Amino acid sequence: MTTLLIKGGRVIDPANGMDGIADVYVENGRIASIGSAPGKAKLVIDAAGQIVCPGLVDMHVHLREPGQEWKEDIESGSRAAVAGGVTTMCCMPNTTPRLDHAGVVRQVIERARQVGLCDVLPIGAVSRNLDGKELTEMRELVRAGAVAFSDDGLPIWNSGIMRKALEYASTFGFLIIQHAEDLQLTGGGCINEGRISTQLGVSGMPSVGEDDMVSRDIMLAKLVDASYHVAHISTEVAVELVRRAQAEGLKVTAEAAPHHFDLTEEEVLGYNADAKMSPPLRTEEDRQAVIEGLRDGTISVIATDHAPHHEDDKRCGLSCAAFGIVGLESLLPVSLGLERNGVLSMSDLIATMTINPSKLLHLDSGTLSEGAAADICIFNPDETWTLDRNKLFSKSRNTPWHGREMTGRVTHTLKGGRVVYQQGEIRA
Ligand SMILES: [Zn+2]
């Protein structure tokens, strides 16, 4: 018996080239069919005027559990995720302890299951303690449930370790994700190096600190024929390096974070620590290059780099403030700007947050294919609302979009056919 019917929405499933008004039928937590009624529904969601798409897949979040639960934990992060339409997220390994051994990876997955709102898929650490000196037991981490590897929070700075990691990745078919930052060049910096850093009298992080590491990594990825992914790409040169690597046929991919295509370094004027993150907000030229990368497909994924921090870590002056902003609840409305500005079609935009990351990570999420888990995001693309950081589901408030008018709002999130978020409320 059909248990749920989502009626009359514009159904967009990029994985199947679907974009049209249709009904979606959900049975036993899975997509039963789209368009034709196999039976009667117990529950009907009226989606007229709304877009019905796969639940979003965010391949880059920091959940702070274990170790810094006052900033975020798996439960609050899961609530923020489903409020943002996200049903699968990958969490980065820079927790305390690090996600560098199987026990911690299992613990995160188990905790997320108990919470039961959103799939949390750990990204295992490349190096023990993220110190870049010794590889983790990557195969054990994969057996425990890690879906890719990174030292994010920090770069994989050691070329020898990076080469070995890429070799393993190539042999066993998983992805190495790089936070590309040459600490020798950026160390001590807190915002983009340039006009604004000079004006404010704070030390800068030059864009070449991202470019040189992406360049080195591409050469290593070519050498060992591995899959390599640039996290939160932010510079004009780095985008061009990825574009050329792809033209050469290398398995090089990149993701962009909404703040890097929506904002520039101007945001930190007034010493605004809620606009401080790594890599930093850059120039208008860099922002345009990221947008161009999204337009031509060089950058195939949008991911938040959701990085919650307590007020105490942000209200201590720009130079000492922690890096990072929360992003799960602003992901969709900020990204929808790309569709309104004609950069991407609605279907291509949704692909960057669903099937594209799922394919990179070999996940079965990110699609409304018949038989797939009914992880679904329903949103109103035209609804306007004002982002209020005090109303976020995240435990942290560090967003540069506070008070900003947003267009586009998630109305329902379904996980495995269950409504877990509806009109401002979490339904546990
Ligand atoms: Zn990072």
Side-chain angles (χ1 to χ4, degrees):
M1 144 157 205
T2 296
T3 50
L4 174 72
L5 164 62
I6 302 166
K7 204 171 164 45
R10 176 179 168 196
V11 180
I12 302 184
D13 181 21
N16 292 302
M18 162 91 198
D19 182 352
I21 306 292
D23 298 338
V24 176
Y25 295 88
V26 172
E27 214 169 47
N28 301 322
R30 302 201 162 262
I31 306 286
S33 71
I34 294 181
S36 58
K40 282 211 164 169
K42 265 190 196 165
L43 177 67
V44 178
I45 295 173
D46 178 8
Q50 308 221 61
I51 291 178
V52 180
C53 71
L56 307 184
V57 178
D58 185 350
M59 66 181 282
H60 193 141
V61 303
H62 298 271
L63 290 178
R64 308 302 188 205
E65 181 177 351
Q68 294 188 307
E69 287 86 350
W70 63 91
K71 296 183 177 186
E72 193 81 286
D73 58 27
I74 290 168
E75 182 171 6
S76 63
S78 296
R79 291 162 67 91
V82 297
V86 173
T87 51
T88 300
M89 58 181 164
C90 301
C91 60
M92 286 297 174
N94 62 338
T95 49
T96 314
R98 314 301 200 188
L99 303 185
D100 63 358
H101 59 274
V104 200
V105 169
R106 278 195 207 97
Q107 187 190 323
V108 165
I109 294 172
E110 183 47 38
R111 179 69 194 123
R113 266 194 204 128
Q114 288 166 0
V115 173
L117 292 170
C118 176
D119 285 336
V120 175
L121 308 175
I123 307 281
V126 166
S127 69
R128 276 181 209 279
N129 200 34
L130 308 185
D131 63 11
K133 292 181 183 148
E134 199 188 339
L135 283 180
T136 54
E137 297 288 344
M138 295 171 111
R139 293 190 71 191
E140 270 181 36
L141 297 185
V142 167
R143 271 184 222 118
V147 295
F149 290 88
S150 182
D151 275 352
D152 188 76
L154 290 167
I156 306 157
W157 55 272
N158 180 327
S159 309
I161 289 288
M162 186 53 153
R163 176 187 176 161
K164 283 199 189 113
L166 287 165
E167 277 168 349
Y168 272 114
S170 154
T171 309
F172 299 108
F174 47 72
L175 188 65
I176 299 292
I177 302 170
Q178 174 69 298
H179 168 111
E181 177 183 358
D182 184 335
L183 295 169
Q184 250 65 39
L185 287 167
T186 62
C190 72
I191 61 171
N192 187 44
E193 181 180 293
R195 187 172 55 82
I196 307 272
S197 66
T198 308
Q199 195 179 326
L200 296 182
V202 296
S203 52
M205 305 161 85
S207 52
V208 68
E210 179 168 332
D211 309 337
D212 76 338
M213 194 161 277
V214 170
S215 176
R216 177 204 73 176
D217 290 347
I218 288 173
M219 288 190 262
L220 290 173
K222 181 177 180 179
L223 179 70
V224 303
D225 189 27
S227 297
Y228 166 74
H229 181 79
V230 185
H232 43 51
I233 198 163
S234 74
T235 74
E236 187 175 9
V237 174
V239 174
E240 184 55 27
L241 287 165
V242 170
R243 184 178 285 121
R244 282 190 218 157
Q246 290 172 349
E248 233 188 286
L250 306 182
K251 291 177 276 186
V252 172
T253 53
E255 81 201 14
H259 44 273
H260 287 127
F261 57 78
D262 190 60
L263 306 172
T264 68
E265 57 179 354
E266 305 275 330
E267 288 298 310
V268 296
L269 285 169
Y271 299 90
N272 176 14
D274 283 338
K276 175 181 175 179
M277 72 289 285
S278 178
L281 297 174
R282 305 236 191 231
T283 64
E284 177 61 15
E285 290 71 39
D286 292 309
R287 186 180 83 89
Q288 290 300 336
V290 170
I291 290 173
E292 198 44 46
L294 284 157
R295 187 200 306 274
D296 73 9
T298 303
I299 303 168
S300 56
V301 169
I302 295 174
T304 59
D305 193 12
H306 177 81
H309 286 293
H310 190 268
E311 296 267 307
D312 294 350
D313 301 305
K314 281 292 195 182
R315 305 276 167 266
C316 53
L318 190 56
S319 293
C320 95
F323 290 102
I325 62 166
V326 291
L328 284 163
E329 295 165 75
S330 45
L331 165 66
L332 186 64
V334 173
S335 301
L336 282 168
L338 295 171
E339 190 267 338
R340 281 194 303 279
N341 296 331
V343 176
L344 292 172
S345 69
M346 190 62 90
S347 180
D348 287 345
L349 176 66
I350 288 171
T352 65
M353 294 178 271
T354 55
I355 191 63
N356 294 357
S358 282
K359 270 190 186 155
L360 276 184
L361 298 169
H362 312 296
L363 310 177
D364 20 335
S365 55
T367 170
L368 301 177
S369 297
E370 247 173 62
D375 295 354
I376 301 172
C377 168
I378 306 175
F379 66 97
N380 182 336
D382 304 313
E383 185 179 337
T384 56
W385 56 290
T386 303
L387 190 137
D388 178 350
R389 62 194 204 145
N390 299 308
K391 290 185 179 158
L392 296 175
F393 286 94
S394 170
K395 279 188 187 177
S396 290
R397 304 276 170 258
N398 49 314
T399 170
W401 290 292
H402 174 63
R404 205 72 66 84
E405 184 169 277
M406 299 277 161
T407 303
R409 192 168 207 174
V410 175
T411 59
H412 300 75
T413 304
L414 281 76
K415 178 72 200 160
R418 199 160 54 89
V419 178
V420 289
Y421 174 82
Q422 181 173 356
Q423 314 276 14
E425 309 230 338
I426 306 289
R427 314 227 319 212

